[in-house]
């Protein structure tokens, strides 16, 4: 049996690469594993050799100590892998297949899965609808920032690439299919982006950049990206976006300078609960700022896509209400403007096949848009540190040296 190593959350601000058990067809006890899931049999699973596994901003929330994640939790929900073993219940996935792994784990059998709402599967997390690898309160499925990982319900979850060699050539684009490309696309779709739309994307991290690129693919006339970090704004400009520095003042005023009017057709929150204030309050955390801002800048009858993460437990929040996810949102403003809101995990399987086809046929360049940067597994702690400092990069971990070779 091969060895296995993975990236573990240790304490706020600290991760390290640790030896860990090789995955089996039974969910074992460990940090964060829900007791009701311990011993769960997985005859429907596949074990994958992780070809690429990415660092996500959602991981960073845990590493900053902004969730109730336990020490020792193996991180990572953005996995692309080569199948090395399959359980007796797997019919269509075979050893040797190269596949994208949707970050949200879904059974394919429950009521929600059967209607395409795979982000809120009812069967894989005993605590609540929805699950993910290596994430707090998501059922305790072991994370994939590792050399090997197990994927339950493999026939349902895995997206097999049709040509393995072609896929390896485009792996830096295809690795984004596990999360941020579908998530950004979902944000744009649910915001109603279409041909000729004017769009505001709050946040120029990887999900925000993916949302901006997705808005372009959907035919937006103008995509404006707002952030506090100059390097991230420069990355947004590198593929044709307009940008605003929200530390310089109200986004509404800056949008008017670009468009001639102080509003857009569609807005996307790609920041989430660790939002900072705008203008003179830019240095202070204000978790409702982005939600209130996108209501302010979106026209009457417009839609708001909210792929940014909001949580029900935040021990580091600025006040007691925010510690349990209660924010001072101007819902009256959204109501008065007849806004539509879409929140929650992206149902990756709704989009990933079509986005794969766009990548394979050179219609999408998502790796360039998010500045994909390859690092080794042992470099993961440095990657987390650089990302936390605002690096304008999407770190792609290459555990076996398959990308660089």
């Amino acid at each position: 049996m091969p060895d296995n190593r993975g990236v573990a959350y240790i304490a706020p601000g600290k991760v390290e690469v640790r030896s860990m058990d090789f995955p089996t067809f039974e969910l074992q006890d460990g940090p964060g594993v829900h007791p009701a899931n311990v011993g769960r049999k997985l005859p429907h699973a596949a074990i994958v050799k992780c070809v690429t596994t990415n660092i996500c901003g959602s991981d960073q929330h845990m590493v900053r100590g902004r969730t109730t994640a336990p020490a020792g939790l193996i991180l990572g929900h953005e996995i692309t892998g080569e199948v090395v073993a399959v359980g007796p219940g797997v019919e269509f996935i075979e050893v040797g297949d190269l596949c994208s792994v949707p970050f949200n784990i879904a059974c394919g059998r429950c009521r929600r899965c059967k209607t395409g709402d795979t982000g809120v599967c009812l069967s894989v997390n005993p605590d609540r609808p929805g699950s993910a690898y290596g994430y707090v309160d998501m059922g305790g499925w072991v994370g994939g920032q590792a050399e090997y990982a197990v994927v339950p319900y493999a026939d349902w979850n895995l997206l097999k690439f049709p040509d393995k060699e072609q896929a390896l050539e485009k792996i830096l684009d295809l690795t984004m299919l596990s999360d941020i490309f579908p998530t950004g696309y979902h944000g744009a779709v649910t915001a109603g982006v279409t041909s000729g739309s004017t769009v505001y994307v709050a946040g120029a991290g990887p999900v925000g950049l993916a949302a901006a690129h997705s808005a372009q693919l959907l035919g937006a006339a103008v995509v404006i990206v707002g952030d506090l970090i100059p390097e991230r704004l420069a990355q947004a400009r590198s593929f044709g976006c307009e940008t605003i520095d929200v530390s310089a003042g109200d986004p509404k005023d800056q949008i008017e300078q670009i468009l001639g009017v102080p509003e857009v057709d569609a807005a996307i929150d790609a920041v989430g609960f660790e939002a900072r204030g705008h203008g003179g309050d830019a240095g202070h955390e204000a978790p409702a700022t982005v939600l209130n801002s996108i209501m302010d800048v979106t026209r009457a009858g417009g839609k708001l896509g909210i792929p940014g993460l909001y949580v029900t437990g935040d021990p580091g929040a600025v006040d007691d209400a925010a510690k349990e996810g209660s924010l001072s949102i101007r819902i009256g403003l959204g109501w008065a403007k007849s806004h539509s809101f879409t929140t929650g995990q992206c149902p990756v399987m709704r989009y990933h096949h079509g986005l794969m086809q766009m990548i394979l046929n050179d219609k999408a360049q998502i790796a360039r848009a998010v500045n994909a940067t390859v690092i080794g597994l042992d470099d993961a702690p440095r990657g987390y540190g650089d990302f936390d400092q605002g690096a304008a990069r999407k770190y792609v971990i290459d555990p076996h040296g398959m990308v660089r070779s």
Side-chain angles (χ1 to χ4, degrees):
M1 180 180 295
D3 294 330
N4 195 19
R5 298 187 304 148
V7 181
Y9 166 69
I10 305 303
K14 183 179 181 181
V15 300
E16 66 180 34
V17 179
R18 288 185 166 182
S19 296
M20 55 186 288
D21 292 337
F22 191 83
T24 68
F25 295 108
E26 180 179 314
L27 189 55
Q28 306 295 319
D29 197 6
V33 179
H34 194 286
N37 261 349
V38 174
R40 186 169 180 160
K41 306 298 183 185
L42 307 174
H44 43 67
I47 295 171
V48 299
K49 178 181 181 180
C50 299
V51 176
T52 54
T53 175
N54 315 328
I55 296 175
C56 180
S58 298
D59 299 320
Q60 199 67 269
H61 292 306
M62 290 187 289
V63 173
R64 290 190 187 116
R66 297 300 298 269
T67 71
T68 55
L73 181 74
I74 300 297
L75 301 167
H77 55 270
E78 300 190 9
I79 310 164
T80 304
E82 180 182 21
V83 176
V84 296
V86 296
V90 177
E91 293 187 66
F92 305 111
I93 294 295
E94 299 177 348
V95 171
D97 287 345
L98 183 61
C99 304
S100 179
V101 183
F103 80 89
N104 28 37
I105 303 167
C107 71
R109 306 169 184 184
C110 71
R111 181 179 179 185
R112 294 274 56 86
C113 284
K114 288 181 177 181
T115 57
D117 297 321
T118 55
V120 283
C121 173
L122 304 175
S123 302
V124 290
N125 182 357
D127 271 337
R128 66 180 74 171
S131 189
Y133 303 90
Y135 211 85
V136 60
D137 296 332
M138 287 292 184
W141 299 90
V142 179
Q145 284 173 17
E147 294 173 332
Y148 297 89
V150 65
V151 178
Y153 304 102
D155 283 327
W156 171 252
N157 282 307
L158 290 176
L159 174 67
K160 177 184 173 181
F161 300 136
D163 185 309
K164 190 172 183 178
E165 294 307 314
Q166 180 193 27
L168 285 170
E169 291 175 2
K170 295 179 177 291
I171 194 65
L172 288 185
D173 291 290
L174 294 171
T175 191
M176 306 305 166
L177 291 174
S178 59
D179 183 354
I180 66 163
F181 196 9
T183 293
Y185 195 84
H186 181 62
V189 168
T190 55
V193 177
T194 187
S195 302
S197 296
T198 56
V199 183
Y200 175 56
V201 180
V207 169
L209 296 173
H213 185 47
S214 297
Q216 293 173 332
L217 294 174
L218 288 165
V222 181
V223 180
I224 303 168
V225 180
D227 204 283
L228 298 159
I229 300 174
E231 291 78 10
R232 289 187 168 183
L233 294 174
Q235 180 61 28
R237 290 192 295 271
S238 75
F239 60 96
C241 298
E242 300 286 341
T243 60
I244 60 174
D245 181 351
V246 297
S247 69
D250 193 326
K252 197 170 186 176
D253 297 332
Q254 298 182 68
I255 287 170
E256 185 171 20
Q257 293 174 16
I258 295 169
L259 298 179
V261 293
E263 63 182 16
V264 294
D265 297 316
I268 302 165
D269 173 3
V271 178
F273 73 102
E274 287 193 71
R276 300 279 170 175
H278 295 157
D281 294 326
H284 304 286
E285 187 168 314
T289 295
V290 172
L291 292 171
N292 290 329
S293 175
I294 62 175
M295 284 189 277
D296 191 35
V297 305
T298 302
R299 63 167 171 79
K303 296 180 179 180
L304 312 178
I306 309 174
L309 176 68
Y310 289 87
V311 295
T312 56
D314 174 11
V318 293
D319 56 47
D320 288 340
K323 287 180 180 179
E324 55 183 32
S326 297
L327 308 181
S328 298
I329 300 168
R330 293 185 65 194
I331 192 65
L333 175 62
W335 188 94
K337 297 175 79 172
S338 293
H339 284 157
S340 300
F341 302 75
T342 300
T343 66
Q345 284 190 38
C346 164
V348 170
M349 295 175 70
R350 191 176 299 173
Y351 307 105
H352 66 174
H353 185 273
L355 295 177
M356 175 188 73
Q357 295 288 17
M358 295 187 78
I359 290 169
L360 294 178
N361 291 284
D362 299 320
K363 303 300 183 187
Q365 289 77 44
I366 184 65
R368 179 174 65 87
V370 302
N371 195 17
T373 303
V374 180
I375 60 175
L377 185 64
D378 290 315
D379 295 323
R382 176 180 59 82
Y384 269 99
D386 291 348
F387 190 33
D388 190 48
Q389 295 302 309
R393 300 176 182 274
K394 175 65 172 178
Y395 285 106
V396 177
I397 299 172
D398 175 14
H400 299 279
M402 297 178 70
V403 176
R404 289 168 291 179
S405 60

